[in-house]
Amino acid sequence: MTSTPGTTAVPLPGTNAPAARYTGPRLRYLVLVLLAFGTFVNYLDRINLTVGATHIQAEFGISDAAWGIALSAFGWTYALMQVPGGLVMDRFGVTWVGRVCSWAWVVATFLTATVSGFLPLLALRLLLGVAEAPAFPMASTATSYWFPVRERGLATASFDMTSKLSNAIGVPLVAVVVATWGWRAAFIATGALSVVYAVAFWVIYRNPDRHPRLTPVEAQYIAEGGAQQSETQVSQPSPMSYLVRQRKLWAIALTLAAYNYTFFLYLTWLPTYLEREMGLDVKGSGLYSAIPWLVGTVTAVLIGGVAIDRLIRDGRDPSRVRKTFLAVGLLLGMAVIGATTATTAAVAVVWISVSLGGVCIASAVIWSLPGLIAPPGAVGRVSSMMAFVGNLSSIAAPMVTGFVVQATGSFTWAFVTAGGVVGLGLLSALVMLGRIEQLPAAGAQA
């Protein structure tokens, strides 16, 4: 393969031949910063309810079981809209789906600051779930368009890690806002950040084949490196009826479900757990909660991104590398069970940090898989189908935890359940996934 000025030869996708360093333009990294910022803001919008839980429950007289329903409501519409969202994204593209949805979640966030009871709060969480449903499939799809295969690990880890960074940074900051100005002020502050992202996305994002600032040099590098074709370049993407028969899709969907269960347990209940069982106040729980999220941010980028890309560039088999890191991450995720033995906040945070650090490694791998296994033009469909199944557990985790805590008076069995679910995800990855490689288009099998 020949190279043009500013580029280097790129190995064929799926090979383990070492590749030389690229030295040309890097518009794709501006796009990646935009996607990562979107994920960061997206998750800030979600943690407001978690951090303000004690205050909101007290103001509206909401029980633990009802609060679990409120926390899970976001996940109902978030999961329900995944498959339709994927079809819409493959039809109309990342650009317009991202524009419309980012403004919709601005509205939902600002309106939440005005609610006067449980039912309006529930309704706005449902709306937020609709608005933010395409966020991760959109980022995964855009990354598959903009990045060659050998850079996909770091690219995926970068937008994935900001969902953890938003908790590491956002939880203590939102806790300070809630403690100082009240829980409504937190929704106003994150709503303002959402406006910044919505404007930035409208101005900056286009697919590679439509971006006026993408140079021919970088476009060639992206295409030759195995990037997926965008929806405007594929006339007949594989239908959903074909995709749902693929074992690989179900394997990654079930593995995401296992990750999501633990992730949403921590996202929705961790501050409450530290306040109730470890005796911390709202500021203290916010600071302690930030530690596991910071660990998850670091492991997602350095291990789930940099380390994987480095091993693949050095000639290791890409499928084996990704599957190994996926399995190790899920195994570490089962450390949540160890938190049941903790008697101090510090010990609890150590166990939870190991668990969250592990599943964040797995998450960085999982979200790279749709762009690696999807047939041409079907990344949105594969991402959304994976997200639909995976996010059923984002509904279950807050609700199950709420009912378990109310029934038992502690988080012990909630943590044991989470460890068991992660174990099932590990089994799915090891038994069902097989080799990580692109599926043939519908009708293309020999």
Side-chain angles (χ1 to χ4, degrees), residues 130-397:
V130 173
E132 296 191 349
F136 253 77
M138 184 180 71
S140 178
T141 301
T143 302
S144 75
Y145 295 165
W146 274 95
F147 284 84
V149 171
R150 69 188 183 95
E151 295 181 359
R152 202 73 59 77
L154 180 58
T156 304
S158 295
F159 78 74
D160 180 60
M161 71 89 180
T162 53
S163 66
K164 291 78 180 172
L165 184 63
S166 66
N167 291 279
I169 296 174
V171 169
L173 289 180
V174 172
V176 170
V177 172
V178 170
T180 306
W181 294 288
W183 64 269
R184 296 178 192 274
F187 284 92
I188 294 172
T190 58
L193 273 179
S194 296
V195 171
V196 174
Y197 169 71
V199 171
F201 188 90
W202 194 289
V203 172
I204 296 172
Y205 188 82
R206 307 288 188 281
N207 286 343
D209 59 308
R210 298 289 180 89
H211 207 294
R213 293 176 55 193
L214 182 65
T215 66
V217 168
E218 188 172 12
Q220 180 184 348
Y221 173 75
I222 292 170
E224 290 182 349
Q228 284 270 359
Q229 291 180 302
S230 69
E231 68 280 343
T232 57
Q233 297 172 292
V234 179
S235 58
Q236 286 291 339
S238 298
M240 192 69 78
S241 59
Y242 165 75
L243 296 173
V244 297
R245 299 196 302 270
Q246 307 306 310
R247 187 180 68 176
K248 289 184 189 298
L249 190 151
W250 287 102
I252 64 176
L254 293 174
T255 306
L256 178 65
Y259 156 77
N260 267 348
Y261 190 95
T262 305
F263 181 90
F264 277 87
L265 167 62
Y266 295 144
L267 183 69
T268 55
W269 282 101
L270 181 55
T272 303
Y273 161 72
L274 292 172
E275 287 181 44
R276 292 191 186 177
E277 296 208 0
M278 298 300 151
L280 302 178
D281 61 17
V282 65
K283 289 185 180 179
S285 69
L287 291 172
Y288 270 85
S289 294
I291 296 171
W293 293 113
L294 185 59
V295 171
T297 301
V298 172
T299 59
V301 174
L302 295 185
I303 302 177
V306 174
I308 288 177
D309 281 352
R310 177 61 182 271
L311 289 171
I312 292 173
R313 280 199 304 270
D314 287 347
R316 305 296 177 88
D317 180 77
S319 176
R320 183 173 299 175
V321 168
R322 290 188 173 101
K323 285 192 69 174
T324 299
F325 279 82
L326 177 61
V328 170
L330 291 170
L331 188 61
L332 291 173
M334 296 177 69
V336 61
I337 297 174
T340 62
T341 66
T343 56
T344 66
V347 173
V349 165
V350 169
W351 282 110
I352 292 170
S353 295
V354 172
S355 172
L356 190 57
V359 296
C360 287
I361 295 169
S363 174
V365 177
I366 292 167
W367 277 107
S368 71
L369 297 181
L372 295 169
I373 74 167
V379 183
R381 286 167 163 81
V382 171
S383 297
S384 62
M385 185 63 188
M386 180 183 84
F388 168 69
V389 175
N391 278 288
L392 294 178
S393 62
S394 74
I395 301 172

